Amino acid sequence: MTDTIPACYNVSIVNPNQFWKTDKVLKTELPIMAIQIAFVAVLSRLFSIIYKPLHQTRLISQISVGFLLTPPLLGRFTTIFEFIFPVNGVVNVEVLSHIGLIYYAFLSGLEMNLNTILNVNKKAASIAIAGIVFPMLVAPCLYALFRNVYGHVMMFPLEESTSNAYTLWTLILTVTGFPVVAHTLSELKLLYTGLGKAALTAAMIGDTYGWILFTLFVPFSINGKGAIYTVLSTITFVVVCIFVVRPLIQWFIDRKEDKDEWNDNQLLFVFMGVLACSCISDFLGAHAIVGAFVFGLILPHGKFAELVMSISDDFVGGFLVPLFFTGIGMRLMLIAIFSQESWPFTIVIILLLCALKILSTLFVTFFFGMRIRDGLSLGLILNNKGTMALIMLNIAWDRAIFSIPTYAVITSAVLLMTIVVSPVINIVYKPRQIFEQNKLKTIQKLRVDAELRFIACVHNTRQAASMISIIECFNATRVSPVHVFALYLVELTGRAAALVAAHIGKPRSQLGEQNLTRSQEELESIHNTFDALGEAYDVVRVETLNVVSAYTTIHEDIYHSADENRTSLILLPFHKQLSLEGTLEVTSVAYKDINQNVMQGAPCSVGIFVDRDFGLVPKMNLHIRVVFVGGPDDREALAIAWRMAGRSGTQLSVVRIICLGEAAKVNASIHDEAQGILSAVIDIDRQNELDEEYISTFRLTAVNNNDSISYSEIDVHSGEDIPVVLNEIEKFGCDIYIVGQGNCRNSKVFSNLMEWCECLELGVIGDILVSDNFGSRSSVLVVQQYGYGGMVFGNDLNQKATNKGTFESVV
């Protein structure tokens, strides 16, 4: 470029016949590189923390580090800039960053799901194609408009108008970053909504088309007239890799895995293969990342891909790639935009560049009958730019195709497209909105002839079999069928795009059995288990889905799945399972946290199922017992048991505990001081009226007309009477207890007992029944009814270890 000055420095060659030709490499070159890597890694993590409330990707954080070093900011302090990035250290960090970029492209190829791309539906393909064609038609016009608007500025002159500039300008605006889209959807908890699935599939297709366009057109910007030979030779190279090299690699890796001869040291050959393919594509005249991407694409997916990504992702994504993205930010000179009088028109052009893909997506989604709000949200999400756009920006800079103003304008548009997505989606689409009240979201209010829809969450195949055993009891009929949405919960670790892509579609259809990852094997097994339930019962529909998310926020994905599928109940597995000794042992503490998070804000009723070999109980002679104390949760528990009692051969025993004397005292401390005890009394009176009304209806409708249903009452006068009563009830035996969690009971006795509970999510009654000291062999279903604010877990949760012994002594 005409406005750049080359930086020169001396290099002393003291060992011309050796590998390291310069002297004291470890003392001079390595410390500089270490400082640069540490500076970029630490600051990018710091920016990630700052941007976390805005749900920005790591890419934005890493570019921010480079922008921090521009002249308006830290770059104005020459001493600081030259200490971090001295002239003699630029070449080394450039080489290292491009090596990281090559491996990043390799990982991107590994995470691509070819099965989804080849079997895409018409809607997703149309959205992806429209997002490419429309910008390709309009972008050149905007480039010409920008040149006319910007004019001639002596300080920052524009490049000569060339076909290369038009080509790269257009290609940058057409691509979509699939990894960035996957991260955005995961952060916004939209992955498993209809909008999220459409966006994810369209983004994967758009990213694939982006690689194709990159391979076909970028060589013309690099090699000029000889690019046609580069394109033809690159296409030949890709065909040979797919149809010749891929089967050989597949055979070799499968043989190693079958004989259990594979070890981590042999992964060195994989990384050598990445460099070899990169060198070949670079030799052919294409960019080096094309070869790396193709090599990742042809490698076997599943276990092998998971192994490679688990080993290399942290180092590549955490240390090497940030160096490249930091360089992108260092070249961003915003002063070039505002250095001329017509800068407001330049800002308008930047906004128009951001609108191209949004407008094309809106048009296509309107054609498919989608709402404008969904079309706008989808367009915003697909407007995310990723690594591909930044690589083309880097090529345009290195080849002097873009001048400083052009680079600043197009880079600002790319960053703006990516930055505004999450905040705008939160405003427009409101994925975290409070769910609307709906009477169908409880079992009690569900019509007798309505379809019962509920979510069954599982973490493994054993829990899937456990859930099926309780689902079979829900008395599905032709009048009131059952629709089950089975959610396999997978913890998100590493690259979001890799895990999400691996779980799109049915894994068996895309991979051999030996290549499935552990999570894919679980999904396949769970899928088959629930499919068997649907085949066994004509009135039961089953859909098996998977949720890939961090355990700390996975409850929000469950919320949105429940809301979108209009379910009345969420079934959760207890975090303990039955051991061979007959006691309950902890499976994972994380499962307990998930259950508690779900109960705090679920959009429908929630049930936690404690399985004590319930699957072995003959369902034709099932005995259910409900312990009814009072409150909305107990009414919901009775509603579920009442529905189950309609199944042939099922016996239902309802035992109502009536609190008298000290046990009937109201606990006013849970209410605000402004409301006082009067409000508490009014609330408990209202709940008592609802309890009496529902119990009366139950006794009149069910008990009097069905000999298999019984009802009894027991009086309690103090907190010590409750464990005694439960022990008396246990003597009669049953197969499963169904009880309410009891969060809304305004009882002082139950509030005091709650302080000694080991598992607050089960409530007082449920915690006693599940306790090993209680000695019951019956399974337990604890129910929380929707519409009363959800369970609140305070700091007392950590006191369970201290209080456990005291509580068990009471039991």
Side-chain angles (χ1 to χ4, degrees), residues 37 51 97 122 168 204 217 299 325 700 733:
I37 293 175
Y51 294 155
S97 66
K122 180 180 178 182
L168 286 177
M204 182 176 287
F217 291 102
L299 285 182
F325 292 141
L700 180 64

Side-chain angles (χ1 to χ4, degrees), residues 381-396:
I381 293 170
L382 294 179
N383 220 11
N384 271 301
K385 303 299 178 186
T387 310
M388 179 68 67
L390 298 178
I391 292 171
M392 287 189 280
L393 280 170
N394 185 71
I395 293 172

